[in-house]
Amino acid sequence: MVANRGEIAIRVFRACTELGIRTVAIYSEQDTGQMHRQKADEAYLIGRGLAPVQAYLHIPDIIKVAKENNVDAVHPGYGFLSERADFAQACQDAGVRFIGPSPEVVRKMGDKVEARAIAIAAGVPVVPGTDAPITSLHEAHEFSNTYGFPIIFKAAYGGGGRGMRVVHSYEELEENYTRAYSEALAAFGNGALFVEKFIEKPRHIEVQILGDQYGNILHLYERDCSIQRRHQKVVEIAPATHLDPQLRTRLTSDSVKLAKQVGYENAGTVEFLVDRHGKHYFIEVNSRLQVEHTVTEEITDVDLVHAQIHVAEGRSLPDLGLRQENIRINGCAIQCRVTTEDPARSFQPDTGRIEVFRSGEGMGIRLDNASAFQGAIISPHYDSLLVKVIAHGKDHPTAATKMSRALAEFRVRGVKVRTPGTALGRPHGQEAGRPEAAVAAPTGPGSPSLVCVLPLACVPSSRLGGPSQTRPETSIEVSPTILL
C-alpha cells in the first residue's frame, strides 16, 4: 500500500507491478477521480469528513485499511507521513512493514537538532547553529550577537521551505522569528525553531544513500538542487556540474559515514551546502525517497523503488548486485518540475480542468505524472506539481538540449490562457547580473506559455549565440511553469 497520492503513488505502484506485487491505494473524498486510485489493484477511501490534507495524515484510518486488507508493507512516498516516526511505529505495531528506516532512525533524522548532533559525532562538518531548538526571541538575539548576520530560522521538525526565514539585521529579527514560528506550527504541528548562520550564495548538493539491515551502506553519487524558489527545489541535476572530484569524494564519504553512525536502512538523502570556497556543511537527512530520485536512477541505472522494496523484504545490497564499486555515473540527467502556477500572480497555484494536454516526449525523456491529461481536474487542495520532466543524455549539454526540446513540445490549455512570455526570477542575493538562461516554448495565439530556467552549465553555448562550450551554473529563484 502507498500512503500517499499523485505521481509518487503511481511511481511505486508501477515498481510493485514489475515485481509481481499487488497494490493498494488510499484516497480522500476530494481525490475520488484522481489517477493514482485507478493505477492500483485496490483502492479505499480514508479520512471521511476530514479536510483534504488531513485525510492523508490520519494514521488510524490508514492503518485500519492496511490491516483489513492484509497489506504486507506500506510505502510512505514523500511528504505527508513519510518522515513521521509515529507513523513508522504504527505500521510496525500493526505488523505491517514500513518501507523506510526504522522508527527510531526516522525520529532522529526528523529532529534537525539531533541529526546535527549525530553529524558532529560522526565528524561531518556542520553550519554554526544552536544545539537545541530556541524558546525565545532573546536566544535568537544572543546567537546573532555571537555569529553576526545573516542568520536563518529553520523549523526543527519539518522541511520543504516552511518555517524558514533569513534575517539580515536586528530590525528584521522579531518579525521573522514570529513568522517562522507560525509557519512551522501550521505545517508540522510544532513551532520549534533552531537558528543557523546563513551561508550566502551556496550550492545545494545532496547525496543519495542506500542501506540494508546488515549494515551495508553505499552512495549513488550526488544531485545539484541549487535552483530553488522560496527555498523549494525546482530543477535538479545529476551529477553536479563543475564539482571538484575531491569535494565529491568528501561529500559522498561523509554521507556514508553519517549513515553508518545512525545505522541507516533503506533509501535516504544527505543534504549539504557548499560555500564559494568549496567548504561543505551538513544541513539535514531526508529519511525517505526524494521527488528528484529520478535523476539518480537515470545516471546510475538503479531502480531506487525496487531497491527500497527488496531491502524492506530483508535482502542485502550485495544480494541485489549493489556494491559501491559497481555504481557508476552514466551521462547527465536534469529534472524540471512543471507546476500549475501563475508567475503573473507571484506563482500562485492555478486550478480547474485541463482542456488540452500534449506532452513533450521522445528519446531521453521520462515523464512522471498523475494529473497531466485532458479532462484532469487540478485541485486547489494539494501540491501544484503537474508533471516531472526528466531528460537524460551523454553529458550536460545533451541533456539540456533534450529538455529544451521536450518542454517546447508541451501544449496545455485549461483554466487560464496566457500569451507568450518568459517568467524569470531573481538570482539569490539580488545579484541580477549572474548568468541565467530561459528556455521558453513557442506558442501561438491563445496558447499557454511554458517556461523553464536552466543553469548555463546545462545549456550548450551554441544555443545562446556563443561558442560551443559550457559555462558555470548559478542558483536562480524561478519555477519551471506551465501557465494554464
Side-chain angles (χ1 to χ4, degrees):
M1 183 172 82
V2 179
N4 215 298
R5 65 182 298 280
E7 66 87 15
I8 188 57
I10 292 175
R11 168 72 185 92
V12 177
F13 292 152
R14 286 172 170 161
C16 290
T17 300
E18 290 165 2
L19 296 174
I21 300 171
R22 285 184 60 81
T23 55
V24 175
I26 57 173
Y27 63 94
S28 67
E29 291 176 317
Q30 293 76 17
D31 270 352
T32 53
Q34 287 299 303
M35 186 60 73
H36 79 276
R37 178 187 174 190
Q38 317 301 326
K39 292 290 186 180
D41 295 307
E42 305 170 35
Y44 300 96
L45 177 67
I46 57 165
R48 191 183 300 274
L50 294 178
V53 172
Q54 291 304 311
Y56 290 100
L57 297 175
H58 197 251
I59 295 175
D61 262 17
I62 296 172
I63 296 298
K64 180 182 178 183
V65 169
K67 293 176 70 173
E68 288 180 351
N69 296 283
N70 300 313
V71 167
D72 298 301
V74 172
H75 194 297
Y78 54 72
F80 292 125
L81 296 170
S82 63
E83 294 180 274
R84 288 268 298 269
D86 55 341
F87 180 57
Q89 187 65 56
C91 290
Q92 193 175 90
D93 293 345
V96 178
R97 296 180 195 175
F98 178 79
I99 301 180
S102 68
E104 181 63 11
V105 170
V106 173
R107 184 194 65 77
K108 289 179 178 179
M109 295 297 96
D111 182 339
K112 289 187 174 63
V113 175
E114 186 163 356
R116 173 189 173 85
I118 292 169
I120 293 171
V124 178
V126 300
V127 178
T130 53
D131 295 326
I134 62 173
T135 57
S136 68
L137 181 62
H138 177 68
E139 290 178 83
H141 265 287
E142 288 186 337
F143 182 86
S144 56
N145 287 338
T146 303
Y147 294 100
F149 291 101
I151 63 172
I152 184 169
F153 291 117
K154 289 185 177 181
Y157 300 102
R162 297 174 180 86
M164 188 178 290
R165 291 276 170 171
V166 179
V167 184
H168 295 276
S169 67
Y170 287 110
E171 290 75 23
E172 300 176 2
L173 200 59
E174 183 174 358
E175 179 185 358
N176 282 284
Y177 172 81
T178 303
R179 288 190 176 186
Y181 178 87
S182 299
E183 289 173 5
L185 182 64
F188 312 114
N190 189 325
L193 304 171
F194 69 96
V195 190
E196 286 182 351
K197 178 69 178 173
F198 181 63
I199 307 299
E200 297 189 271
K201 302 183 181 67
R203 293 179 72 176
H204 187 144
I205 308 290
E206 61 185 31
V207 176
Q208 178 70 56
I209 57 171
L210 195 59
D212 63 26
Q213 66 187 53
Y214 308 102
N216 300 301
I217 305 281
L218 56 78
H219 69 81
L220 292 95
Y221 293 97
E222 82 286 347
R223 301 182 285 257
D224 191 326
C225 305
S226 301
I227 300 178
Q228 302 182 13
R229 180 175 59 81
R230 297 172 185 163
H231 305 295
Q232 297 201 8
K233 305 164 189 172
V234 291
V235 177
E236 296 95 357
I237 307 163
T241 59
H242 306 294
L243 191 68
D244 180 85
Q246 292 183 348
L247 175 56
R248 172 175 285 123
T249 299
R250 292 196 297 272
L251 288 166
T252 53
S253 175
D254 280 351
S255 298
V256 171
K257 192 190 308 182
L258 178 58
K260 287 184 176 180
Q261 177 77 18
V262 77
Y264 200 91
E265 182 181 333
N266 219 275
T269 302
V270 185
E271 304 204 3
F272 298 91
L273 294 180
V274 178
D275 68 18
R276 65 188 72 186
H277 305 294
K279 293 181 63 177
H280 67 288
Y281 304 92
F282 165 78
I283 49 174
E284 65 179 349
V285 172
N286 292 127
S287 55
R288 56 173 169 81
L289 196 66
Q290 295 275 78
V291 180
E292 61 272 18
H293 74 277
T294 56
V295 290
T296 296
E297 291 181 326
E298 294 300 314
I299 67 164
T300 62
D301 199 31
V302 174
D303 188 313
L304 288 171
V305 180
H306 280 194
Q308 283 190 293
I309 294 169
H310 286 316
V311 166
E313 289 174 335
R315 297 183 64 181
S316 72
L317 296 182
D319 285 346
L320 300 175
L322 295 173
R323 301 176 185 273
Q324 191 64 70
E325 60 269 22
N326 297 334
I327 307 296
R328 295 285 185 270
I329 294 175
N330 175 30
C332 168
I334 303 169
Q335 174 176 282
C336 286
R337 306 187 191 191
V338 177
T339 60
T340 53
E341 296 176 338
D342 186 356
R345 296 190 298 121
S346 300
F347 294 98
Q348 291 297 308
D350 210 353
T351 61
R353 180 187 297 273
I354 295 178
E355 303 295 346
V356 174
F357 181 83
R358 188 167 75 240
S359 63
E361 300 173 4
M363 182 178 177
I365 297 298
R366 166 181 170 179
L367 303 176
D368 282 21
N369 68 78
S371 301
F373 58 90
Q374 184 175 346
I377 302 297
I378 304 302
S379 168
H381 305 299
Y382 302 106
D383 188 84
S384 60
L385 179 65
L386 182 66
V387 57
K388 300 189 307 193
V389 185
I390 304 97
H392 181 228
K394 64 179 182 179
D395 51 30
H396 286 84
T398 303
T401 299
K402 288 181 180 293
M403 178 65 77
S404 174
R405 186 267 305 161
L407 292 175
E409 291 180 4
F410 270 81
R411 293 294 182 274
V412 182
R413 294 181 183 174
V415 180
K416 181 179 179 181
V417 173
R418 187 175 186 269
T419 55
T422 300
L424 277 175
R426 246 190 175 161
H428 290 301
Q430 307 287 316
E431 191 175 341
R434 299 184 73 190
E436 56 193 28
V439 180
T443 53
S447 297
S449 297
L450 174 64
V451 179
C452 176
V453 172
L454 302 177
L456 285 184
C458 298
V459 182
S461 294
S462 56
R463 289 180 57 82
L464 302 172
S468 183
Q469 59 184 11
T470 57
R471 304 179 186 179
E473 66 182 322
T474 185
S475 175
I476 307 168
E477 285 206 344
V478 68
S479 176
T481 307
I482 282 186
L483 308 179
L484 296 181

